[in-house]
C-alpha cells in the first residue's frame, strides 16, 4: 500500500444541497472500481461538536459509525456506495476543530503563543485530513467541505486547502468544485454566471479549482462547457455535467460518461488504464430499474415530513427491494396522525409496517396503536430501536395486561417500566456522545426469524439509545410467545425481540439500516421485504378466492 496518499477536496458553490455527498461517493466508487483504496471524509462547518445533539429537522438523520461516532448522513452514502466502514475520523466539525485547539491551549501546549485561526485552526484542519492519508490504508482521500464557498464559516477550510496544495503540489492535492447551472425556463437558457462568480470567490482565497462538476437539469452543450472553461481557467475536459438522475445510484455511471475518474487520475498522476469494474453495481441497477412486482411498506415515524430523517432506512428498503426485484413503495405515516379510529384505514392495505427510531414522547401512542394493528392483523412488522421499544410496551399493555406499562423515558412513574434506563446511564448528565453508541456484539438464538435472516449466531450491530428492555419482565414475555431472539451476553441486554405466533414480528434495539449497502443489503431488511411480499401474495390469493 502506498504510504503517501493523494488528496481530493470537494467544495460547493452557488447553493447548498447540490448533492456533494453523492458526487463524492460516486467519484470514490469509480476510483474504487479501478482498484484504488479510497476513503471519504466530511468537514461540517458548524460549531456543534457533532450532529448528535441536533434535532432531525435541523440536520436529518444522525449516522452512527462502528466506533460510536454520531456523524453526518453523508457518511451513510459513503458506506452504502463503497461498502466500506467509516469512523470518527471521517466526519469533523468546526466545533471539534476549535475544541481540540482550545483544549490544547488550556493545557499550555502553545507555550505562550497567541492562538489564531491561521495557523492554528488551519493546522488542525490539515492534520485531520492527513490523519486519514497517513494511515497507510488509502491511495486516495476525498474530503468534502460542507457548506458553500463564500460562507464565513468555510474560509478556514479553503485556506487549509490552499496551504496543502502549496505544500504538497498540484499532482498530490486537487480541488473539485461542484456548482449549479440554473435553467431559466422563460428564456430557455442555462446560465453560467453564478458558477463564474463562485469560482472567482474561490480564487479570491487563492484556490483555483481543477475540475468543475456542474449540476444541471439539462445537458450542457459543448459551447457552454467551453464558455465555463474559458471564464474559470480550466481545460474544457475538466468541466463536467452532473445531470439530475432518476436514482442516486445512477450518478457513478453518469460521471463515468463525463470521464470524471480518468480526468481526476490524470491530474493526480495516477494510472487510469481500461475501464472500472462496475459489474455488480450495474447488476444492482438493472434489478432496481426492472422490478418484477411492488410491495407497499408503511413507515411510521414522527419526522416523516423530512425524508432525510430516515435516509438509511429508506435506502435499506431500496437495497433489499432491488435485490429481490421488488419496488418498495414507502407509505409515510406520521405517528401523530394515527389513532384507534383511523388505523385500519391507514394500514389495511399495506404489506408491512416499519416503526422508526426516535426520541421523546411525541407520537408514541400512534406508534403503539399501529403496532397493535400489525400484530393483530398479522401484518409483517419491523421495529427499529424506539420502534422495538414501542412493540415491547404494546405487548405489555394489550397482551400481558399491564395497562400502564411504559418506557421510563416517557413516564418516569409507570408501575411497569418494561423499558428501563441502563444502570450506567443513570448518572449521565451531559448530552453529546453519552448514549450507548457504536457496534456491539449480539448472539442470535437458533430457530428464530433473526437466525433465519442472518444465518449466523454472532453478529455485530450499531446502537444509539439510552433505554433497554427490562429483564425483570422477560419471563412473562417469553411465556406469552414474545421472545428475545438476540442478546448481548456480556451485559445481558435484549437486542432482538420476536413474537412467535406472528408470521413476521421482529424488533431490533440496534439500527440495522446503518449497515445496509448496495452490495450487501441487510439481512433483516431482506427478510422483512420478503415477508411483506409474502403478505401481498396471500392477500391476492384471498381476494381471488
Ligand atoms: N429514545 C430511545 C432510547 O434512547 C430510542 C432511541 C432510538 O430510537 N434511537 O433508548
Amino acid at each position: 500500500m502506498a504510504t503517501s496518499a493523494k488528496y481530493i477536496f470537494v467544495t460547493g458553490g452557488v447553493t447548498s444541497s447540490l448533492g456533494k455527498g453523492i458526487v463524492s461517493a460516486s467519484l470514490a466508487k469509480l476510483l474504487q472500481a479501478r482498484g484504488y483504496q479510497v476513503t471519504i471524509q466530511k468537514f461540517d462547518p458548524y460549531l456543534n461538536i457533532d450532529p448528535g445533539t441536533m434535532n432531525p429537522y435541523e440536520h436529518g438523520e444522525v449516522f452512527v459509525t462502528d466506533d460510536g461516532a454520531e456523524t453526518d448522513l453523508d457518511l451513510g452514502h459513503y458506506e452504502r456506495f463503497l461498502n466500506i466502514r467509516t469512523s470518527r475520523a471521517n466526519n469533523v466539525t468546526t466545533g471539534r476543530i476549535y475544541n481540540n485547539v482550545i483544549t490544547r491551549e488550556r493545557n499550555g501546549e502553545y507555550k505562550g503563543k497567541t492562538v489564531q485561526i491561521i495557523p492554528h485552526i488551519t493546522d488542525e484542519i490539515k492534520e485531520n485530513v492527513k490523519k486519514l492519508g497517513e494511515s497507510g490504508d488509502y491511495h486516495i482521500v476525498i474530503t468534502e467541505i460542507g457548506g458553500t464557498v463564500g460562507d464565513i464559516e468555510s474560509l478556514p477550510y479553503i485556506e487549509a486547502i490552499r496551504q496543502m496544495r502549496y505544500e504538497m503540489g498540484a499532482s498530490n492535492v486537487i480541488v473539485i468544485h461542484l456548482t449549479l447551472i440554473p435553467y431559466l425556463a422563460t428564456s430557455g437558457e442555462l446560465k453560467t454566471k453564478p458558477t463564474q462568480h463562485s469560482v472567482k470567490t474561490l480564487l479570491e482565497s487563492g484556490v483555483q479549482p481543477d475540475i468543475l462538476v456542474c449540476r444541471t437539469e439539462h445537458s450542457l452543450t459543448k459551447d457552454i462547457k467551453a464558455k465555463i472553461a474559458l471564464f474559470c481557467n480550466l481545460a474544457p475536459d475538466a468541466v463536467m455535467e452532473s445531470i439530475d438522475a432518476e436514482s442516486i445510484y445512477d450518478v457513478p455511471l453518469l460521471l463515468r460518461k463525463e470521464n470524471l475518474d480518468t480526468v481526476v487520475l490524470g491530474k493526480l498522476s495516477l494510472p487510469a488504464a481500461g475501464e472500472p469494474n462496475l459489474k455488480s453495481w450495474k447488476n444492482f441497477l438493472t434489478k432496481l430499474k426492472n422490478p418484477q412486482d411492488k410491495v407497499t411498506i408503511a413507515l411510521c415515524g414522527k419526522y416523516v415530513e423530512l425524508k432525510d430523517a430516515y435516509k438509511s432506512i429508506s435506502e435499506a428498503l431500496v437495497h433489499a427491494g432491488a435485490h429481490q426485484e421488488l419496488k418498495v413503495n414507502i407509505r409515510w405515516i406520521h405517528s401523530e396522525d394515527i389513532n384507534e379510529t383511523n388505523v385500519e384505514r391507514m394500514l389495511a392495505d399495506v404489506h408491512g409496517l416499519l416503526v422508526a427510531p426516535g426520541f421523546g414522547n411525541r407520537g408514541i401512542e400512534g406508534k403503539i396503536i399501529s403496532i397493535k394493528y400489525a400484530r393483530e392483523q398479522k401484518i409483517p412488522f419491523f421495529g427499529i430501536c424506539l420502534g422495538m421499544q414501542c412493540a415491547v410496551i404494546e405487548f405489555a399493555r394489550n397482551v400481558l395486561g399491564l395497562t400502564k406499562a411504559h418506557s421510563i423515558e416517557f413516564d418516569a412513574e409507570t408501575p411497569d417500566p418494561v423499558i428501563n434506563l441502563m444502570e450506567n446511564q443513570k448518572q449521565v448528565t451531559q448530552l453529546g456522545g453519552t448514549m450507548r453508541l457504536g457496534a456491539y456484539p449480539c448472539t442470535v438464538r437458533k430457530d428464530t426469524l433473526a437466525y433465519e435472516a442472518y444465518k449466523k449466531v454472532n453478529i455485530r450491530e450499531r446502537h444509539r439509545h439510552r433505554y433497554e428492555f427490562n429483564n425483570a419482565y422477560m419471563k412473562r414475555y417469553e411465556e406469552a410467545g414474545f421472545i428475545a431472539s438476540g442478546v448481548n451476553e456480556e451485559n445481558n441486554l435484549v437486542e432482538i425481540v420476536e413474537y412467535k405466533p406472528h408470521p413476521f414480528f421482529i424488533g431490533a434495539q440496534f439500527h440495522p439500516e446503518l449497515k445496509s449497502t448496495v452490495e450487501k443489503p441487510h439481512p433483516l431488511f431482506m427478510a422483512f421485504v420478503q415477508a411483506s411480499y409474502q403478505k401481498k401474495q396471500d392477500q391476492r390469493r384471498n381476494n381471488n378466492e
Side-chain angles (χ1 to χ4, degrees), residues 367-387:
K367 287 185 172 172
I368 292 173
I369 289 168
S370 68
I371 295 168
K372 176 169 186 271
Y373 184 81
R375 179 176 55 75
E376 292 176 345
Q377 302 303 317
K378 301 205 181 317
I379 296 173
F381 164 75
F382 188 14
I384 299 182
C385 208
L386 181 61

Side-chain angles (χ1 to χ4, degrees), residues 50 52-53 70 430-435 437 466:
D50 60 44
T53 55
E70 296 178 282
Q430 260 213 327
L431 276 187
T434 53
M435 282 185 263
L437 286 166
R466 270 183 224 289

Side-chain angles (χ1 to χ4, degrees), residues 356-360 364 367 384-389 407 409-410 419-422 435 463-468 508-511 513:
F359 295 83
I364 286 296
K367 287 185 172 172
I384 299 182
C385 208
L386 181 61
M388 169 268 195
Q389 297 177 354
S407 160
E409 179 179 5
F410 312 120
I419 301 293
N420 208 359
L421 197 57
M422 281 184 277
M435 282 185 263
H463 293 249
R464 181 173 188 251
H465 57 103
R466 270 183 224 289
Y467 298 86
E468 300 281 351
Q509 184 58 82
F510 47 77
H511 291 267
E513 71 277 18

